[in-house]
Amino acid sequence: MEETRILQADDAGIAGAARLLRQGGLVAFPTETVYGLGGDARDDRAVARIFDAKGRPRFNPLIAHLPDLAKAEELALFDDRARTLAAEFWPGPLTLVLPLREGTGLSALVTAGLPTVALRVPAHPVARALLRAFGGPLAAPSANPSGRVSPTRAAHVMAGLSGRIEAVVDGGPCAVGVESTILGFDPDGGPRLLRPGGVALEALEAALGRPLAIGPAGPETETETGPRPNAPGQLASHYAPAAPVRLEARAAGTGEILVGFGPVKGDLTLSATGDLVEAAAQLFHILREADHLAGPQGAIAFAPIPEAGLGRAINDRLRRAAAPRP
């Protein structure tokens, strides 16, 4: 394959990216959360190439990105609650896991053979322009090697995937900085938070007028690396830098780079003022910087983050980054 191209986020760049996608190519593009690695969700070969480029296990489903609710309803069965959430939070950082319609033409690799599909309508203007220009659903996990730190800048994508994909559309830094919240529904109809993210749990509960169950539901099928996910973003070890990560630190240990937050000062900080929005937007970039500073013999320590609002998503990513590596 030729060298990965960087495309500008202008009309010519969007048109070129859409053309590559129609040819079965892979193009990374910015969303408000992180950069996604896009491929035609109806093309088995293109979707298989996403898994191969990332080194992602094929039992781990992907999110299909759409330009609007009407296109999303062509792929999944929406009830009143799902439409309420779509009306409130789309376009935006919310993914809904819903029953898959028959005859959609969607590659079975996108759903990992599950009877449900994960759908999102992103808010980023570049992502929306690309989806309109392409004219179909794009399967798009984060544009990084599987299990590693998610990309929030085009340079992050190039550092992990250069030479494995056709192009990156450079739309600048991502504003939200953590992946989308994923919400599904139990067999009895109850809403369930499957992954915390860019939409806070409290906002979802307010929209639905009821509390959400949290975490995977029901018996889990085991794979050789652990329980099989029933939605993206559920692997225990994920978002991991090369250096080991320690959480709830108020001071650096020997050889550690301390990432501060609020009153805890560090070598780097997610937010000196304790702003969770700023911390989420900075998280993956700071994690990469800390990894670089730690070097091959060092480690990273993170100051405590409140478990509320976007802090829930930040802590979820940090716990996965600190988890034992497979």
Side-chain angles (χ1 to χ4, degrees), residues 40-51 62 107 109-110 139:
D40 187 344
R42 303 157 300 190
D43 182 336
D44 285 337
R45 185 175 182 277
V47 178
R49 286 191 60 212
I50 292 174
F51 284 96
L62 305 177
S107 170
L109 293 171
V110 172

Side-chain angles (χ1 to χ4, degrees), residues 223-316:
T223 72
E224 59 186 25
T225 58
R228 173 179 173 164
N230 60 6
Q234 294 186 334
L235 297 183
S237 178
H238 205 34
Y239 317 108
V245 174
R246 181 170 67 92
L247 305 182
E248 301 292 327
R250 297 187 179 276
T254 303
E256 287 184 332
I257 298 298
L258 177 63
V259 179
F261 177 81
V264 178
K265 310 302 180 186
D267 304 286
L268 302 167
T269 185
L270 290 175
S271 173
T273 61
D275 184 335
L276 290 172
V277 174
E278 180 186 13
Q282 293 237 83
L283 175 62
F284 290 134
H285 184 64
I286 291 291
L287 190 50
R288 288 170 181 271
E289 282 197 42
D291 197 28
H292 175 73
L293 291 173
Q297 304 301 319
I300 307 168
F302 276 86
I305 305 292
E307 188 74 14
L310 281 174
R312 190 173 282 105
I314 295 168
N315 284 324
D316 172 79

Side-chain angles (χ1 to χ4, degrees), residues 27-298:
V27 177
F29 62 94
T31 77
E32 67 276 21
T33 58
V34 300
Y35 274 71
L37 178 56
D40 187 344
R42 303 157 300 190
D43 182 336
D44 285 337
R45 185 175 182 277
V47 178
R49 286 191 60 212
I50 292 174
F51 284 96
D52 290 343
K54 285 177 59 68
R56 182 184 178 102
R58 294 200 183 188
F59 57 75
N60 194 7
L62 305 177
I63 297 173
H65 290 65
L66 291 309
D68 52 46
L69 174 58
K71 289 295 185 183
E73 291 203 79
E74 293 177 5
L75 299 182
L77 300 172
F78 281 69
D79 61 14
D80 289 344
R81 294 160 310 161
R83 290 191 186 92
T84 294
L85 292 168
E88 181 77 17
F89 299 108
W90 281 359
L94 174 66
T95 293
L96 295 175
V97 178
L98 300 169
L100 179 67
R101 284 188 184 275
E102 293 185 6
T104 63
L106 205 65
S107 170
L109 293 171
V110 172
T111 62
L114 296 168
T116 54
V117 60
L119 303 174
R120 182 158 94 88
V121 175
H124 196 292
V126 174
R128 295 180 64 73
L130 180 58
L131 285 161
R132 289 192 298 268
F134 176 63
L138 288 178
S142 57
N144 58 287
S146 186
R148 294 303 178 183
V149 183
S150 297
T152 55
R153 291 162 169 76
H156 298 166
V157 180
M158 292 296 287
L161 296 179
S162 181
R164 302 189 202 179
I165 65 177
E166 275 70 22
V168 182
V169 180
D170 187 352
C174 299
V176 175
V178 292
E179 292 86 351
S180 61
T181 300
I182 300 181
L183 184 144
F185 295 93
D186 290 343
D188 65 2
R192 179 172 291 273
L193 183 70
L194 297 171
R195 179 181 74 183
V199 175
L201 170 69
E202 295 86 348
L204 293 168
E205 291 182 334
L208 290 171
R210 60 173 293 178
L212 272 64
I214 297 176
E220 296 174 316
T221 303
E222 287 291 324
T223 72
E224 59 186 25
T225 58
R228 173 179 173 164
N230 60 6
Q234 294 186 334
L235 297 183
S237 178
H238 205 34
Y239 317 108
V245 174
R246 181 170 67 92
L247 305 182
E248 301 292 327
R250 297 187 179 276
T254 303
E256 287 184 332
I257 298 298
L258 177 63
V259 179
F261 177 81
V264 178
K265 310 302 180 186
D267 304 286
L268 302 167
T269 185
L270 290 175
S271 173
T273 61
D275 184 335
L276 290 172
V277 174
E278 180 186 13
Q282 293 237 83
L283 175 62
F284 290 134
H285 184 64
I286 291 291
L287 190 50
R288 288 170 181 271
E289 282 197 42
D291 197 28
H292 175 73
L293 291 173
Q297 304 301 319

